[in-house]
Amino acid sequence: MADAPPAIPVMGPDRPILAFGDSLLAGYGLDQGDSYPAKLESALRSRGVNARVVNAGVSGETTAQGLQRLASVLDAQTAKPDLVIISLGGNDMLQGEPPAETRANLDRILAVLNQRGIRIMVLGMMAAPMLSQDYARNFNPIYPSLAHKYGAVLVPFFLQPLMDKPDLVQPDRVHPTALGVEEMVAATVDDVAEALPKG
């Protein structure tokens, strides 16, 4: 059996990352170490990035609730994040909130981060198939539009790695299993590493 390649040593400055959003970040139904932020930190560190990913996910959170707590969460960090990863809007969709409200709330969230000089990564969502075409037409463009407006890195559809793979999804048919999270991390870790400020 061939030896595994040696691990890349973790080097360079501390890279604080804030994962801010809903249950997809909080790790709904999973052990703490299996959440997206925890697995992302491990994946970055295995590449030599001295990442410290803070999990500020709250299950069930809407964009309105995220906007309400954003400033206090940012102020509570021990160091200004090099990057904030945003995953919000899924609960707005499931609760039938008007896409215009979701867009306005996300716009204000990104504006706050922009004013603080923090790099942003947006984890995009797509309207669920059971919703109307009219809803999807108004909801789906929110993420690319706002990412472009604020110069944020965009993951077009965060749940893409789970599509048509029921073994990667919990019985609620919404949230990823631990294996599903690993697939989501594998699909996005390059984007996260690229989004970090150089140096």
Side-chain angles (χ1 to χ4, degrees):
M1 188 175 82
D3 290 336
I8 300 171
V10 174
M11 297 173 65
D14 191 36
R15 308 310 295 265
I17 299 170
L18 179 67
F20 183 84
D22 53 27
S23 56
L24 295 178
L25 298 182
Y28 177 87
L30 302 173
D31 291 338
Q32 196 170 3
D34 288 329
S35 69
Y36 176 83
K39 292 284 189 184
L40 177 65
E41 180 178 291
S42 296
L44 288 167
R45 293 182 75 82
S46 75
R47 292 165 181 237
V49 179
N50 190 12
R52 180 172 50 81
V53 184
V54 173
N55 187 343
V58 174
S59 292
E61 184 159 85
T62 62
T63 55
Q65 291 166 329
L67 177 61
Q68 284 180 338
R69 74 180 177 103
L70 177 63
S72 61
V73 170
L74 289 171
D75 292 343
Q77 301 308 303
T78 54
K80 176 182 170 182
D82 280 351
L83 179 70
V84 172
I85 300 171
I86 300 286
S87 173
L88 284 167
N91 290 308
D92 297 49
M93 174 181 62
L94 294 174
Q95 295 175 23
E97 297 290 342
E101 288 186 21
T102 300
R103 177 186 287 270
N105 291 332
L106 278 172
D107 195 326
R108 290 169 67 190
I109 287 169
L110 299 190
V112 168
L113 297 171
N114 197 48
Q115 286 160 6
R116 292 190 183 217
I118 300 172
R119 288 180 181 247
I120 308 164
M121 181 167 170
V122 176
L123 303 177
M125 292 296 295
M126 303 280 278
M130 71 274 206
L131 296 169
S132 70
Q133 286 187 340
D134 189 51
Y135 188 95
R137 199 162 37 241
N138 289 301
F139 183 86
N140 292 348
I142 291 172
Y143 299 91
S145 171
L146 291 178
H148 178 75
K149 178 178 178 179
Y150 289 99
V153 175
L154 173 68
V155 173
F157 185 29
F158 189 35
L159 296 177
Q160 185 65 48
L162 311 181
M163 291 298 98
D164 302 317
K165 295 177 182 173
D167 54 319
L168 298 182
V169 182
Q170 295 182 40
D172 64 10
R173 299 199 290 182
V174 174
H175 296 94
T177 62
L179 269 178
V181 169
E182 289 186 11
E183 291 295 321
M184 293 161 76
V185 168
T188 54
V189 64
D190 287 341
D191 294 314
V192 175
E194 187 63 30
L196 288 168
K198 302 297 178 273

